[in-house]
Amino acid sequence: ADVGLPPERFASALRAGGRYVRNSPAVRRMLLRVVLFVLPGAAMWALLPVVAADLLQTGSTGYGLLLGTLGAGAVLGAALLPRVGARLSPNQVLVVSGVLFAGSLLACVTVTNQLVLAALLVPAGMAWLAVLMGITGALQVFLPGWVRARGLSMFNVAFAGSQAVGSL
């Protein structure tokens, strides 16, 4: 909708969207949840190659297997999310996902068997998908149409920034 606007009106629309996101407690809470989940969660993505190479001594093939099980968990999570969402509130899904992901992250530094670790990474993939899709969906439903794109861009900033800082 903003594509044909003159630069000064486009900048004004961006500022208005930023004000909406900044002054909406619900949106701020959703963005905070993204940060609180992704910031520590990014450590797994950053350290998984080190785990495969140094802890498991498996190299790139082992890393590929571990990464593949995270992806398989995400696919499984997509299939199970509607059933889980019907039984648990969004807050409960967030808590369960956080616990599952934390358990998988702990397994990355304590489990020395590649196949056992691969199996323990499946819940992490499920949790990653459940949290990010749940919050993205909630933002899309909550945000009014005129500010939806700007609000979702703030989600992307929170996600990417948390992933970058968490990877350090």
Side-chain angles (χ1 to χ4, degrees), residues 66-105:
L66 297 177
L67 200 56
T69 58
L70 277 167
V75 170
L76 182 60
L80 295 177
L81 192 56
R83 284 185 239 150
V84 171
R87 293 184 181 190
L88 300 176
S89 73
N91 287 333
Q92 290 171 324
V93 170
L94 188 67
V95 168
V96 168
S97 295
V99 169
L100 287 174
F101 202 89
S104 294
L105 186 58

Coordinates of all heavy atoms in Angstrom, one line a residue, residues 66-105:
L66 N 23.1 -34.3 12.4 CA 22.5 -33.6 13.5 C 21.6 -32.5 13.0 O 20.5 -32.2 13.5 CB 23.6 -33.0 14.4 CG 24.5 -34.0 15.1 CD1 25.6 -33.3 15.8 CD2 23.7 -34.9 16.0
L67 N 22.0 -31.8 12.0 CA 21.2 -30.7 11.4 C 20.0 -31.3 10.8 O 18.9 -30.7 10.9 CB 22.1 -29.9 10.4 CG 21.6 -28.5 10.0 CD1 21.5 -27.6 11.2 CD2 22.6 -27.9 9.0
G68 N 20.1 -32.4 10.1 CA 18.9 -33.1 9.5 C 17.9 -33.5 10.5 O 16.7 -33.4 10.3
T69 N 18.3 -33.9 11.7 CA 17.3 -34.3 12.8 C 16.6 -33.0 13.3 O 15.5 -33.1 13.7 CB 18.0 -35.1 13.9 OG1 19.0 -34.3 14.5 CG2 18.5 -36.4 13.4
L70 N 17.3 -31.9 13.4 CA 16.6 -30.7 13.7 C 15.6 -30.3 12.7 O 14.4 -30.0 13.1 CB 17.6 -29.5 13.8 CG 18.4 -29.3 15.1 CD1 19.6 -28.4 14.9 CD2 17.5 -28.9 16.2
G71 N 15.9 -30.5 11.4 CA 14.9 -30.2 10.4 C 13.7 -31.2 10.4 O 12.6 -30.9 10.2
A72 N 14.1 -32.5 10.7 CA 13.0 -33.5 10.8 C 12.1 -33.2 12.0 O 10.8 -33.3 11.9 CB 13.6 -34.9 11.0
G73 N 12.7 -32.7 13.1 CA 11.8 -32.2 14.2 C 10.9 -31.1 13.8 O 9.8 -31.0 14.3
A74 N 11.4 -30.2 13.0 CA 10.6 -29.0 12.6 C 9.4 -29.5 11.7 O 8.3 -29.1 11.9 CB 11.4 -28.0 11.8
V75 N 9.7 -30.5 10.8 CA 8.6 -31.0 10.0 C 7.6 -31.8 10.9 O 6.4 -31.6 10.7 CB 9.2 -32.0 8.9 CG1 8.1 -32.8 8.2 CG2 10.0 -31.2 7.9
L76 N 8.1 -32.6 11.8 CA 7.2 -33.3 12.7 C 6.4 -32.3 13.6 O 5.2 -32.4 13.8 CB 8.0 -34.2 13.6 CG 7.2 -35.0 14.6 CD1 6.3 -36.0 13.9 CD2 8.2 -35.9 15.5
G77 N 7.1 -31.2 14.0 CA 6.4 -30.2 14.8 C 5.3 -29.5 14.0 O 4.2 -29.2 14.5
A78 N 5.5 -29.3 12.7 CA 4.5 -28.7 11.8 C 3.3 -29.6 11.8 O 2.1 -29.1 11.7 CB 5.0 -28.4 10.4
A79 N 3.5 -30.9 11.7 CA 2.4 -31.8 11.7 C 1.6 -31.9 13.0 O 0.4 -32.1 13.0 CB 2.9 -33.2 11.3
L80 N 2.3 -31.8 14.1 CA 1.7 -31.9 15.4 C 1.2 -30.6 16.0 O 0.4 -30.7 16.9 CB 2.7 -32.5 16.4 CG 3.2 -34.0 16.1 CD1 4.3 -34.4 17.1 CD2 2.0 -34.9 16.1
L81 N 1.7 -29.5 15.5 CA 1.3 -28.2 16.1 C -0.2 -28.0 16.2 O -0.7 -27.5 17.2 CB 2.0 -27.1 15.4 CG 2.0 -25.7 16.0 CD1 2.6 -25.8 17.5 CD2 2.7 -24.7 15.2
P82 N -1.0 -28.3 15.2 CA -2.4 -28.1 15.4 C -3.0 -28.8 16.5 O -3.9 -28.3 17.3 CB -3.0 -28.5 14.0 CG -1.9 -28.4 13.0 CD -0.7 -28.7 13.8
R83 N -2.6 -30.1 16.7 CA -3.1 -30.9 17.8 C -2.6 -30.4 19.2 O -3.4 -30.3 20.2 CB -2.7 -32.4 17.7 CG -3.6 -33.0 16.6 CD -3.3 -34.5 16.5 NE -2.8 -34.7 15.2 CZ -2.0 -35.6 14.8 NH1 -1.4 -36.4 15.6 NH2 -1.6 -35.7 13.5
V84 N -1.4 -30.0 19.2 CA -0.8 -29.4 20.5 C -1.5 -28.1 20.8 O -1.8 -27.9 21.9 CB 0.7 -29.3 20.4 CG1 1.3 -28.5 21.5 CG2 1.4 -30.6 20.2
G85 N -1.7 -27.3 19.8 CA -2.3 -26.0 20.0 C -3.8 -26.1 20.5 O -4.3 -25.2 21.1
A86 N -4.4 -27.2 20.1 CA -5.8 -27.4 20.5 C -5.9 -27.8 22.0 O -6.9 -27.6 22.7 CB -6.5 -28.5 19.7
R87 N -4.8 -28.4 22.5 CA -4.8 -28.8 23.9 C -4.1 -27.9 24.9 O -4.4 -27.8 26.1 CB -4.0 -30.2 24.0 CG -4.8 -31.3 23.3 CD -4.1 -32.6 23.5 NE -4.9 -33.6 22.8 CZ -4.7 -34.9 23.0 NH1 -3.7 -35.3 23.7 NH2 -5.4 -35.7 22.3
L88 N -3.2 -27.1 24.4 CA -2.4 -26.2 25.2 C -2.6 -24.7 24.8 O -2.8 -24.4 23.6 CB -0.9 -26.5 25.2 CG -0.4 -27.9 25.6 CD1 1.0 -28.0 25.3 CD2 -0.8 -28.2 27.0
S89 N -2.6 -23.8 25.8 CA -2.6 -22.4 25.5 C -1.3 -22.0 24.8 O -0.3 -22.7 24.9 CB -2.9 -21.6 26.7 OG -1.7 -21.5 27.5
P90 N -1.3 -20.8 24.1 CA -0.1 -20.3 23.5 C 1.0 -20.2 24.5 O 2.2 -20.5 24.2 CB -0.5 -19.0 22.9 CG -1.9 -19.1 22.6 CD -2.5 -20.0 23.7
N91 N 0.7 -19.7 25.7 CA 1.7 -19.6 26.8 C 2.3 -21.0 27.2 O 3.5 -21.1 27.4 CB 1.2 -18.9 28.0 CG 1.0 -17.4 27.7 OD1 1.7 -16.8 26.9 ND2 0.1 -16.8 28.4
Q92 N 1.4 -22.0 27.3 CA 1.9 -23.3 27.6 C 2.8 -23.9 26.5 O 3.8 -24.5 26.8 CB 0.7 -24.2 27.9 CG 0.0 -23.9 29.2 CD -1.3 -24.6 29.3 OE1 -2.0 -24.9 28.4 NE2 -1.7 -25.0 30.6
V93 N 2.4 -23.6 25.3 CA 3.2 -24.1 24.2 C 4.6 -23.5 24.3 O 5.6 -24.1 24.1 CB 2.6 -23.8 22.8 CG1 3.5 -24.1 21.6 CG2 1.3 -24.6 22.6
L94 N 4.7 -22.2 24.6 CA 5.9 -21.5 24.7 C 6.8 -22.1 25.8 O 8.0 -22.3 25.7 CB 5.7 -20.0 25.0 CG 6.9 -19.1 24.9 CD1 7.5 -19.0 23.5 CD2 6.5 -17.7 25.4
V95 N 6.2 -22.4 27.0 CA 6.9 -22.9 28.1 C 7.4 -24.3 27.8 O 8.6 -24.6 28.0 CB 6.1 -22.9 29.4 CG1 6.7 -23.8 30.5 CG2 5.8 -21.5 29.9
V96 N 6.6 -25.2 27.2 CA 7.0 -26.5 26.9 C 8.1 -26.5 25.9 O 9.1 -27.2 25.9 CB 5.7 -27.4 26.4 CG1 6.2 -28.7 25.8 CG2 4.8 -27.6 27.6
S97 N 7.9 -25.6 24.9 CA 9.0 -25.5 23.8 C 10.3 -25.1 24.4 O 11.3 -25.6 24.0 CB 8.5 -24.5 22.7 OG 7.4 -25.0 22.1
G98 N 10.2 -24.1 25.3 CA 11.5 -23.6 26.0 C 12.2 -24.7 26.7 O 13.4 -24.9 26.7
V99 N 11.4 -25.5 27.5 CA 12.0 -26.7 28.2 C 12.6 -27.7 27.3 O 13.7 -28.2 27.5 CB 10.9 -27.3 29.2 CG1 11.4 -28.6 29.8 CG2 10.5 -26.3 30.3
L100 N 11.8 -28.0 26.2 CA 12.3 -29.0 25.3 C 13.6 -28.6 24.6 O 14.6 -29.3 24.5 CB 11.3 -29.3 24.2 CG 10.1 -30.2 24.6 CD1 9.0 -30.3 23.5 CD2 10.5 -31.6 25.0
F101 N 13.6 -27.3 24.2 CA 14.8 -26.8 23.5 C 16.0 -26.7 24.5 O 17.1 -27.1 24.1 CB 14.5 -25.4 22.9 CG 15.5 -25.0 21.8 CD1 15.2 -25.4 20.5 CD2 16.7 -24.4 22.1 CE1 16.1 -25.0 19.5 CE2 17.6 -24.1 21.1 CZ 17.3 -24.4 19.8
A102 N 15.7 -26.3 25.7 CA 16.8 -26.3 26.7 C 17.4 -27.7 27.0 O 18.6 -27.8 27.1 CB 16.3 -25.6 28.0
G103 N 16.5 -28.7 27.1 CA 17.0 -30.0 27.2 C 17.8 -30.5 26.1 O 18.8 -31.2 26.3
S104 N 17.4 -30.2 24.9 CA 18.2 -30.6 23.7 C 19.6 -29.8 23.7 O 20.6 -30.4 23.3 CB 17.4 -30.3 22.4 OG 16.3 -31.1 22.3
L105 N 19.5 -28.6 24.1 CA 20.8 -27.8 24.2 C 21.7 -28.4 25.2 O 22.9 -28.5 25.0 CB 20.5 -26.3 24.5 CG 21.6 -25.4 24.5 CD1 22.3 -25.4 23.1 CD2 21.1 -24.0 24.8

